[in-house]
Amino acid sequence: MSHPGAAAAALATDPSPPSPSPPPPAPPPVVEWPEGGVLTRDWVAALESTLDWCSRHLPADRLPTLFPSALVQRLVLAAAAILHREPNLVRVDPRPGQSVVVVGDLHGQLHDVIFLLRDAGFPSEERIFVFNGDYVDRGAWGLESLLLLLAWKVLLPNCVFLLRGNHESKYCTLVYGFEQEVMAKYKDQGPQVYRKFLRCFEDLPLATIIAGCVYTAHGGIFRGTIVLPSKRSKKGKKGRKNKADFAVDPTSMRLGSLDELLKARRTVLDPPWEGQNLIPGDVLWSDPSLEMGLSPNNERGIGLLWGPDITQQFLRTNNLKLIIRSHEGPDARDKRHDLLGMDKGYTIDHEVECGKLITLFSAPDYPQFQASEERYNNCGAYIVLSSPDFATPVFHSFEAVKPRPPAHPFYDFEDVIDSDEELNLDAMDSGTSSQ
């Protein structure tokens, strides 16, 4: 074993000057859309390498020199066209020999995303990936992280499934950094690029069912839609009927059905927290609790809290064995003393007769930018599901890639509430479509 003191003594007696630092590696070529318009594994691998290099060696506003705005928009539109055709609830039915990797929140931590893909094994015909959302915000490389995953989606649309998280919304990206990140990196083209991402967010599905027995979604379960027709207004002109107004009965709250989930309108910039289209907001924002029953999630101001009895009811009604949701990192769990912390990147929150409820978080050492000196130092994790029993999860925890390249935050992390609590609901879009 070498000793630091011996090395210092050798330097003291050696008159030769120190060796100069090696020059930085040469930049990769500018990314171009593949000839013929068909992505390949080599193209995606080169994209990953370029994005990694840019994050380490280029200022943020120099990214377009290697990844032009036109290419970003083309990739986003290509992925959005695929996502748009998928239903709200995607059925993922592995063939014999296929395994499924489930991934939780990523939050713009590009180097941890790259490590996860390599550690789990890249998507392939033998390995399906299901991502539970929250690709952007808080971390410095949300744009790069999401572009890499969109490229995998275009390459392998039947083996990579990208779900929406609550941060894939206009409100969250304005507050937690992604909008400013896009503007900083793409300057004059930023507004156009940002709008393309917002439209892509609207196309992201809400949930999956894997192998007929595992339900995954970002936040979790959802209430049923109960609407009561109000009195019809008088008929209008001949041949024209005035639509009835509908209002949600505030005293009724029941568990929603998968059929209702399939019929919900997901093309909203910000899932509404009131009105009749509540299912998207519930799926993206709800949290488990140890208290029985369904109740409004007053802490967040949107979504639900649900107890072990509701988990049991959801599993039994839909003939499922496992729920895998995400949405809560170490900061959120630090404020919730009724549930376990997120040190390992996952928790088992409910164990009931029909199965389990798991929270999965895949961003280690989160958040990247933190106001307090004491960090959570949490691990991230992913889950592997395999035959013959896809309802038996295998957990893989991992530490953050260190050191992270120097980077500046794109939001005021010292003033923003870390766990998405106390939302400014008045500032949220009332479900207005961007299209």
Side-chain angles (χ1 to χ4, degrees), residues 151-168:
W152 277 110
K153 179 63 180 178
V154 174
L155 176 64
L156 295 170
N158 298 317
C159 297
V160 175
F161 297 95
L162 304 176
L163 302 183
R164 188 173 181 177
N166 65 301
H167 278 264
E168 281 70 61

Side-chain angles (χ1 to χ4, degrees), residues 2 7 30 84 171 180 198 232 252 271 303 331 356 379:
S2 61
V30 177
H84 184 76
Y171 172 82
Q180 284 300 314
L198 290 180
R232 290 183 181 271
S252 299
D331 54 341
K356 298 178 182 178
C379 287

Side-chain angles (χ1 to χ4, degrees), residues 288-291 336-340:
S289 171
L290 297 184
E291 297 291 329
R336 298 195 62 189
H337 304 298
D338 56 331
L339 296 173
L340 295 173

Side-chain angles (χ1 to χ4, degrees), residues 30-39 43 67 70-79 151 154:
V30 177
V31 179
E32 297 180 347
W33 195 253
E35 188 174 350
V38 179
L39 270 59
W43 190 90
F67 203 175
L71 183 66
V72 172
Q73 296 182 63
R74 187 167 183 177
L75 177 55
V76 173
L77 288 173
V154 174

